[in-house]
Amino acid sequence: MAKLQRSPIEHDLKPFKKTLAQIDSFAASLKSLCDDELRAQLQSLFSVISPPMNSDTKAKIFAFVAEASNRLLGMRPFDSQMLAGLALHDGFIVDMQTGEGKTLAAAAPVIANALAGHKVHVLTFNDYLAKRDSHFLQPLYQFFGLSVGMIQAGMSGEQRKKAHACDIVYTTAREVGFDYLRDQLVHYTQQKVLSGLDVAIVDEADSILIDEARIPLVISGDIHQSNDQLTHIATVIKQLDKTNDYATDELSTSVHLTESGSRKIEQQFGCKNLFDIDNLPLLTSVNLALHVEVLLVKDIDYIVKDNSIKLIDEFTGRIAEKRRWPDGMQSALESKEGLPVKREGQTLGSITLQHLMCLFNKVSGMTGTAVLAAQEFDQLYQLKTCIIPPRKPCIRIDKPDRVFSTKAEKTIAICNEIASIQRTGQPVLVGTSNVRESENLYALLVEKGIECCLLNAKNDEQEAQIVAQAGALGAVTICTNLAGRGTDILLGAKDTARNLQVKKAGGLHIIGTSRFESRRIDDQLRGRAARQGDPGSSQYFVSLEDKLFNHLGGDGLLSGKSDTGELVSSARISKKIAHGQRVLEGANLDRRKALYKYSDLVEQQRQVIHQLRDEILLGDGAHQFKSKVTRRWQSLSTVVSDDKLNEALNIVVMHAIDKIWVQHLSEIDYIKEGINLVEAVGTSFMRGGNEPYHVFVQQAQQVFEQLLAELKAAVVDLFNNVAIDENGIDPNSELFAMTKSTSSYVLADNPFDAVDKRFIASIWKKLRLR
């Protein structure tokens, strides 16, 4: 009953306000001090700081931060920022409206944790924000004697190691994850770059902890060539007749060859039966090529840039850096676009962001849309959400949706609306669902003589500059949905006179070209307007041909249609959209929980393996294997020192562990393919059963136990056959080859995965029946 009654949202701010009063009282005594006197008082406080930090010490540190921020940055934190900082320090997810200054709000809890001896990682949404925020706050951190590191994609191992050694590290969760995985493959302690995972403060927490939580980070090596037939197969697939040779399901999430298509493939490749077991490699490649040709759409799912495939993040519309599709799909897509097929590597290690975050001792975060995700934060991370009221009330006007029967009619109405608004001088920011839509809308506006800026995945290098100007008088900015997140849009673009003009015109107006599947993503786009008490407005334009209505259905909604195609009964449709979004959000939560169960078992096994590896790397864990290789050890001991022999044995054992773990990951993939995960998700969360999960656990455990049993034999075989001389093992030995050249990437959700496809289909079927 206590669990049922426990709310995932904390509304009571009285404890924080009590501490805030202490902060204000102490801060008042600091204002009259000169800088030297302020530092002297700070030094006296350092001598009494020790974990766990009491409330009096915490209040004093926050007061020092407020005073130092005012002197060094010219910005004294508002009460709302201090309340947010107190909630972050106590381990909450903070719901703080956009524009309220989350960057500065995080400074006090970062400093308080660091002064208490904790390593603090501030995890930002992208590299740009990590660089911007660390540079902005560096003078403040240095005042407290704290070192600040910043990590960007592409940095060398030495640069990363130096940054991770700092008291405070600004980076993205992905970069921390990749560093963690690489540290699990080193052969010498000094090669490790991470110095521990202790405290994490997560910016844009909903994106990192929810939207990307179950996407695996992967490190691969042991490179091998891709299938030479891919280019030929791609050409053959393009020649198939879409009416007769293949068919898609009603949701366009799967495609399969018809009998006619199968015969054409058999004729092209000279095989009698495409589905014969001997032709399995060809069938797999054909299916991959067919899927990417029919179901993956250029400028929606991906773009071609710099002669390579760049995946588009479905939530932000940005390029998803270092993200690849799995299981040969990326290579098939490269063949489809006539690009060089890059080599694919063998997976050496993998971890989801969700499991990575669980490795930290303490996690807190902040975002402008935490409330709608509060249940998931609570269930998956045991983190409560705390709502911080804005400094000034939000006066944004959210207009009702305008609904049209077709996309074409909707697009015409959007263009007319933009033209009408621009004449008033009010700036407009238009959020589109994909690159193709943004480019089509931009072209139509240019054709109408409307000057506008375009921001999408093809030019996101200029993202911050373009978005920062979106509040200028009369500006029209077309962007993919969440472009510029984390960048302030200043009304009038810093010009005081124009700022007043823009405010008089109504502030920034947001237009959404379609509803997203999540209310939270809709709200994030709306939140770009009306920051810090400024005026602003928003409105969504919807058509019955939008992706959402492909699943919801538009039966009985066409009544009351005007000459422009706009539907009069938009309130009823908006209600249906809202209901559909709520159902889907709940279903997606259940799906993430179900899939987490499967990955959690493998994560537990990975921790066992890596603990064993660390015992060898950092201690004397390889000693247990010494008795198994006595004969060769004795024969080598006359020319090789014990230190070099011990080092060689350590390397052999670690290589054996890495090798069998790679094999284990492959075995797990085979088990997953063999078990009907669709039924596992469906039964576990729809009808109460979970038998397939038990089968998975049983088989995965058997494979893991077999793996551990094979380890000693593998070590003996390797040690008895590897070349060892007075210098130990040759650094160019094949034992180092597997991890010498590695690549890291994010494994994109497979759009044809049976779990996702069938699960989502069942959800939409339920929606239609309501």
Side-chain angles (χ1 to χ4, degrees), residues 250-251 516-519 547-555 557 572-588 686 758-770:
E250 62 171 335
L251 297 176
F516 207 74
E517 291 179 357
S518 166
R519 294 169 296 163
K547 181 181 177 182
L548 201 60
F549 279 97
N550 288 343
H551 306 300
L552 285 172
D555 299 340
L557 299 177
R572 179 187 169 200
I573 298 170
S574 295
K575 187 176 179 181
K576 183 168 185 176
I577 291 172
H579 172 72
Q581 287 176 320
R582 286 194 300 272
V583 172
L584 187 58
E585 285 162 359
N588 281 333
M686 300 283 183
R758 300 258 299 268
F759 185 78
I760 293 298
S762 68
I763 293 303
W764 287 123
K765 186 175 181 181
K766 288 175 179 290
L767 277 174
R768 282 193 178 131
L769 295 175
R770 288 178 180 249

Side-chain angles (χ1 to χ4, degrees), residues 438-457:
S438 70
E439 292 182 335
N440 290 343
L441 185 57
Y442 174 78
L444 287 171
L445 291 172
V446 170
E447 191 178 309
K448 290 172 71 73
I450 297 174
E451 186 178 340
C452 53
C453 289
L454 174 64
L455 172 60
N456 58 35

Side-chain angles (χ1 to χ4, degrees), residues 127-153:
D127 281 353
Y128 164 76
L129 294 176
K131 186 175 183 179
R132 184 199 71 179
D133 294 354
S134 63
H135 287 176
F136 171 63
L137 292 172
Q138 188 168 11
L140 186 59
Y141 294 141
Q142 288 176 341
F143 177 82
F144 287 87
L146 299 170
S147 56
V148 188
M150 182 265 298
I151 295 172
Q152 305 270 275

